[in-house]
Amino acid sequence: MICLAGRILGIDGFEKGYVIIKGKKIHEVGKIPALKPDYKGYIIPSPINAHTHLGDAFIKKRLRKLPRDLEKLVAPPKGIKHLLLERADRSEIINGIREKLMEMEGLGLAAFCDFREGGIEGINILKEAMKGFDIGSVILSRPKSLTLDKREVEDLLKTSDGIGLSSLSDWNYDDARKIAEITRRRKKVFAMHASEGIREDIDEILDLKPSFLVHLTKATEGDLERVRVENVPVVVCPRSNQFFGLRPNLELMKKTGIEISIGTDNAMISDPDIYKEIRWIRRNVKVFDLEEILRMITYNPRRMLGIKMEEMEEGKDANLVILDTKSLKPLFISGREVSQDEG
Ligand SMILES: [Zn+2]
């Protein structure tokens, strides 16, 4: 039995308490433990990585030095990433993805949301890589090329959880609108990157009624206000932005009241360690309290992605992590002990 004690992050906020775990199940929850705690810290539900591109993990092995230029590296169809994905063989991509899935499982993540490139084949590759892993997923796919083929979109929606487009600037607006419409009709998720390297027209984007947007690094206060009024949540990826010399304006996002979740973005750029992102925010952004930051990797992404929250109750699976109060590094992860230098 392992006894965790400290402050438990519930849906309504922090509460002092303890959790005793037996095997992989929660044995007891309460206010004051009778046992001496094995670990003390912040007890949070297993985190979610709200934005990944696991498919490009293999590229890190191929190229040691990636250009820090958004256009050159990741813009479709001619960015290095897309050319390499196009030419790579299936097993190379799958092995890269599996390595990242292993890392995420080791970090105790409950689920991730991936923007998968490569059309139907892209979905199949990710699903094949996921065999044998016990981690939840929201797979957002996209058409193989930047043109509309309604049949292809219908097929993508049959085999994935929705659509995640690169950005509006890559698309003919009418085509993007049709894709969004078809996705909504099928009651699936429609999401996209927005205003990452350049500011894009927020009204055009919001007219597509996205389920959520990723980045908004170049959005103005007015743009963010529009996003807030439409109640569209936003995913930020600070370490990936930093790689390209960008920074999410989290101060303005806080001011406008946007609901924020966190992702790690391209696997070739940042590892999927979501705790590194919250540490980045803690260090670099002063407007959030800790509870708000921890919500960005627990409750906010669950609401945004429609992932059910399992209560921290006796008899339930121990889907939780305890973080050190100073370093915010995980001390104990869902049935697995970690050494201090991990995370
Ligand atoms: Zn992305």
Side-chain angles (χ1 to χ4, degrees):
M1 278 201 292
I2 302 268
C3 178
L4 313 177
R7 295 168 77 200
I8 303 174
L9 182 67
I11 188 82
D12 300 318
F14 272 124
E15 252 188 82
K16 258 188 109 166
Y18 73 94
V19 181
I20 295 176
I21 297 170
K22 204 174 174 184
K24 289 190 170 172
K25 297 271 181 197
I26 295 177
H27 181 68
E28 199 180 307
V29 186
K31 293 269 175 235
I32 301 161
L35 300 173
K36 186 177 176 293
D38 297 286
Y39 299 99
K40 285 185 187 170
Y42 301 121
I43 301 164
I44 63 167
S46 306
I48 288 176
N49 189 334
H51 185 64
T52 61
H53 299 261
L54 299 182
D56 57 44
F58 78 96
I59 293 172
K60 204 168 181 183
K61 288 199 179 125
R62 288 258 205 111
L63 297 176
R64 272 212 207 107
K65 244 185 137 136
L66 299 170
R68 290 176 181 262
D69 180 312
L70 208 53
E71 192 74 17
K72 265 192 208 150
L73 186 58
V74 297
K78 294 272 175 252
I80 291 172
K81 158 181 165 153
H82 299 280
L83 296 176
L84 287 174
L85 267 172
E86 194 70 31
R87 288 184 214 136
D89 62 71
R90 218 168 184 267
S91 62
E92 192 178 14
I93 302 176
I94 288 179
N95 290 339
I97 295 175
R98 289 183 69 84
E99 220 170 88
K100 296 297 149 187
L101 290 170
M102 231 176 296
E103 284 176 39
M104 289 198 288
E105 265 195 7
L107 293 163
L109 300 197
F112 64 98
C113 174
D114 197 80
F115 272 36
R116 193 63 260 267
E117 300 83 4
I120 298 284
E121 171 67 357
I123 303 171
N124 292 337
I125 286 176
L126 178 54
K127 285 191 173 172
E128 195 178 324
M130 285 178 64
K131 279 184 191 152
F133 284 93
D134 182 26
I135 184 167
S137 65
V138 176
I139 303 175
L140 302 183
S141 57
R142 66 173 69 155
K144 199 161 171 42
S145 68
L146 294 166
T147 49
L148 173 69
D149 169 351
K150 284 187 186 162
R151 209 38 197 282
E152 185 192 16
V153 177
E154 295 282 4
D155 285 343
L156 289 169
L157 292 171
K158 269 181 209 147
T159 41
S160 67
D161 300 296
I163 300 286
L165 293 186
S166 49
S167 79
L168 197 53
S169 319
D170 301 327
W171 280 85
N172 164 296
Y173 189 68
D174 264 353
D175 287 351
R177 197 165 42 85
K178 281 184 190 120
I179 293 172
E181 272 169 22
I182 300 170
T183 310
R184 267 203 311 279
R185 224 181 296 141
R186 297 277 167 263
K187 302 211 179 335
K188 298 258 173 158
V189 177
F190 177 79
M192 62 199 300
H193 297 96
S195 294
E196 183 182 2
I198 50 157
R199 182 181 172 215
E200 292 168 309
D201 187 324
I202 201 67
D203 290 314
E204 279 192 355
I205 291 168
L206 292 172
D207 281 347
L208 303 179
K209 306 224 175 311
S211 313
F212 65 88
L213 296 170
V214 183
H215 295 312
L216 288 180
T217 31
K218 294 287 182 185
T220 62
E221 185 170 352
D223 294 345
L224 294 176
E225 257 156 21
R226 294 271 301 109
V227 172
R228 170 67 189 93
V229 168
E230 297 295 325
N231 251 322
V232 177
V234 172
V235 181
V236 297
C237 311
R239 286 187 303 145
S240 165
N241 292 158
Q242 193 171 37
F243 177 86
F244 294 113
L246 301 166
R247 184 189 190 279
N249 197 333
L250 285 154
E251 291 81 1
L252 263 190
M253 288 185 192
K254 157 92 183 181
K255 190 176 164 200
T256 45
I258 283 175
E259 183 167 289
I260 301 165
S261 292
I262 305 176
T264 53
D265 212 5
N266 302 87
M268 63 179 171
I269 295 172
S270 335
D271 58 46
D273 187 341
I274 202 78
Y275 310 108
K276 286 185 184 165
E277 304 288 344
I278 58 171
R279 294 202 290 272
W280 188 96
I281 294 180
R282 198 70 172 315
R283 267 198 316 275
N284 295 289
V285 185
K286 299 299 168 205
V287 293
F288 298 108
D289 61 31
L290 186 69
E291 184 188 321
E292 288 174 299
I293 298 174
L294 294 176
R295 281 183 181 282
M296 295 175 192
I297 59 169
T298 53
Y299 294 100
N300 296 359
R302 277 180 172 83
R303 185 164 38 226
M304 183 184 89
L305 299 167
I307 296 172
K308 213 179 130 260
M309 180 77 229
E310 194 168 87
E311 302 295 325
M312 266 187 223
E313 281 171 9
E314 223 178 281
K316 295 274 168 68
D317 286 334
N319 293 323
L320 50 89
V321 169
I322 185 163
L323 302 176
D324 182 69
T325 53
K326 279 220 175 70
S327 67
L328 291 185
K329 289 184 179 180
L331 299 170
F332 177 87
I333 292 169
S334 300
R336 192 184 81 98
E337 288 187 55
V338 288
S339 63
Q340 287 291 348
D341 32 298
E342 264 186 83

